[in-house]
Amino acid sequence: QGVHQGAAESSKSLTDNMLLGAPLARTTLALAAALAAAAPSGTLATPVHRPLTPVAAGNPDTRLGTERSIPNVIVDLDKPAEYRWAGVMLAAVAEHGWEHTYAPVAAYLKETIPAPVLKLVEDIAGALEEHGIPAEYAAEMRGIAAAAASIGHGDDFDLKTIVAVNLLYELSTACTSIVSQTVDGQIYHSRNMDWSFGNHSVQNLTALVNFQKGGETVYQTVTWLGYVGGLSAMRYTKGRGGWSLTVDERGTADVLAPLEAVVRIWKGTATPIGMLVRDALATQPDYEGALQYLADTPIANAVYYIVGGSEAGQGAVITRDANRTGVDVWTMPNGPEKWFILETNYDHAKAPPKGDDRRGVAVAAMEKMGQAGISHDHLMQVMETPGTSTSRGVFNDMTVYTIIMSASTGAFDGVTWK
């Protein structure tokens, strides 16, 4: 209790310093000790993952076999926001070293972010709440910056870098998501996160985060430690069910789209997608409420929300523009088969581009498995399906993690790829 009280006082001091413009790099070692000690979040929960599945037959990808279970960690929502992430962040650095955790992320961002976007990111970091960043998540990002500074990395992983990390969806991504229904009506939600980090690995930062209140998990996300939002998530309550969500990039030929998205955030007219997802998880207990919230809330960039429920027939793809117009909700009974619906990065009513028909590859794999064949391991094999001579595969050189979750049963696990 004394440690928690001390952490709260340090939290107020940290916030006051930020308001006064004091640089985060001056964070003291005492604050670092408080960050590490104040949170049970720093303790890795015991993973409860299945054994690794067999490699999909015929898949020549040399990374198959490099997978490892995604570890469970706890983020305590009862703690001051500045202290929620420090424990798990510092634990990852202690286990793997800075050079194998956050250094690659910082290097990737420096290599790829265009100067005009970086200037906007710097402005946003200078006054987070004024630029569309909810106060809770602004405080979490400041705490992450403080933790980095406390171990001597305040310059190479400063607040503007952390803001850039939390705008990763608005800058670029790609994915495959599938919601399927068993013969007896259980819903499964599968996803490959495809993301290009160049030659940099984020495997050591990938975690299944259990957001808890009063010691009970309210919702879960698979994320990279430092990205406070959610792109792969589930809210489940035993006996009540819930809903699951994955976010896929909506492809566009407009090269200015990422800049325009960051401008909307800079203007304070939209919230970053990942933070909006956390708001949905915190406020919407059921599938219907989640669909409405995700369809109506202003966003910074075009998106596909793939949503699974806990009851038969609950599966949908919401296609959104960066405003409230043009919302399309495509539901499971109208999918490729009545028992599943899927999305990659192209509108479902349009043909995919040449060379990237992951949709066709995934549909063929699902139909080969059949509704009667749906199981955790069989779905994992679908997500490991290789490409063809004319298309990228469901599993490809950009796949960084694979997850299977079910709001019908509460199951949620996956693997991360080297």
Side-chain angles (χ1 to χ4, degrees):
Q1 183 177 0
V3 169
H4 189 79
Q5 182 177 356
E9 292 170 355
S10 295
S11 171
K12 182 178 185 301
S13 175
L14 172 64
T15 303
D16 290 345
N17 285 338
M18 285 301 304
L19 292 173
L20 294 170
L24 279 169
R26 296 178 185 171
T27 305
T28 62
L29 290 176
L31 173 59
L35 285 168
S41 309
T43 304
L44 295 180
T46 303
V48 287
H49 301 298
R50 61 169 181 81
L52 297 179
T53 56
V55 171
N59 196 334
D61 196 301
T62 56
R63 292 188 307 139
L64 287 167
T66 69
E67 68 268 38
R68 66 174 184 236
S69 294
I70 299 175
N72 276 268
V73 301
I74 296 169
V75 166
D76 187 353
L77 296 173
D78 291 325
K79 291 169 45 189
E82 290 90 343
Y83 294 89
R84 292 173 181 170
W85 292 91
V88 293
M89 174 184 173
L90 296 176
V93 173
E95 181 175 356
H96 302 290
W98 185 264
E99 66 277 16
H100 299 300
T101 50
Y102 292 96
V105 175
Y108 168 76
L109 292 171
K110 289 178 181 178
E111 293 167 5
T112 57
I113 296 181
V117 174
L118 183 59
K119 178 62 171 67
L120 292 172
V121 168
E122 290 174 347
D123 287 350
I124 293 168
L128 292 171
E129 290 87 348
E130 295 177 14
H131 292 290
I133 306 299
E136 180 179 11
Y137 310 135
E140 289 183 0
M141 287 192 288
R142 289 178 181 129
I144 292 168
S150 73
I151 54 175
H153 293 284
D155 291 334
D156 48 337
F157 207 68
D158 57 9
L159 186 56
K160 71 174 181 295
T161 303
I162 294 159
V163 170
V165 168
N166 282 275
L167 298 181
L168 279 174
Y169 172 82
E170 281 71 24
L171 297 175
S172 177
T173 180
C175 306
T176 298
S177 298
I178 306 172
V179 177
S180 56
Q181 178 180 305
T182 64
V183 173
D184 62 358
Q186 288 190 345
I187 303 296
Y188 281 85
H189 195 151
S190 318
R191 108 76 61 83
N192 274 358
M193 172 62 83
D194 297 344
W195 209 306
S196 175
F197 284 93
N199 293 320
H200 306 295
S201 174
V202 290
Q203 189 175 41
N204 294 333
L205 292 178
T206 307
L208 198 168
V209 180
N210 296 270
F211 291 87
Q212 294 190 346
K213 281 189 173 184
E216 297 292 330
T217 296
V218 181
Y219 56 87
Q220 301 166 285
T221 71
V222 168
T223 192
W224 304 293
L225 300 176
Y227 185 87
V228 304
L231 299 175
S232 307
M234 183 172 73
R235 174 165 175 159
Y236 170 80
T237 303
K238 189 173 182 180
R240 292 182 55 190
W243 56 280
S244 57
L245 172 71
T246 53
V247 176
D248 287 10
E249 179 191 27
R250 189 179 182 197
T252 175
D254 182 3
V255 296
L256 293 178
L259 177 59
E260 292 168 350
V262 177
V263 167
R264 292 185 187 98
I265 296 168
W266 177 80
K267 289 181 176 179
T269 59
T271 300
I273 291 287
M275 298 177 193
L276 184 150
V277 167
R278 268 192 64 186
D279 283 347
L281 291 164
T283 61
Q284 305 301 318
D286 56 42
Y287 173 80
E288 291 83 5
L291 281 183
Q292 192 69 49
Y293 186 95
L294 295 167
D296 288 347
T297 307
I299 54 177
N301 206 355
V303 69
Y304 300 111
Y305 293 123
I306 301 85
V307 189
S310 55
E311 300 177 7
Q314 293 184 335
V317 175
I318 303 173
T319 302
R320 288 284 310 272
D321 292 325
N323 51 51
R324 296 190 186 186
T325 64
V327 177
D328 174 77
V329 181
W330 184 41
T331 56
M332 188 188 297
N334 303 306
E337 299 281 354
K338 290 184 177 181
W339 52 275
F340 76 89
I341 195 165
L342 67 84
E343 180 56 62
T344 55
N345 304 105
Y346 314 106
D347 289 6
H348 64 84
K350 298 179 181 178
K354 184 178 180 180
D356 190 17
D357 188 12
R358 283 168 291 140
R359 179 199 303 164
V361 174
V363 167
M366 290 293 289
E367 290 177 341
K368 181 179 179 180
M369 175 186 66
Q371 185 177 19
I374 293 176
S375 70
H376 189 283
D377 285 356
H378 288 165
L379 287 169
M380 184 62 76
Q381 291 186 355
V382 168
M383 305 312 288
E384 292 174 352
T385 303
T388 68
S389 60
T390 58
S391 176
R392 291 171 63 198
V394 179
F395 184 89
N396 57 75
D397 59 358
M398 291 176 62
T399 304
V400 294
Y401 67 72
T402 302
I403 59 169
I404 312 290
M405 52 188 169
S406 173
S408 295
T409 67
F412 192 164
D413 73 350
V415 296
T416 180
W417 305 92
K418 188 172 182 180

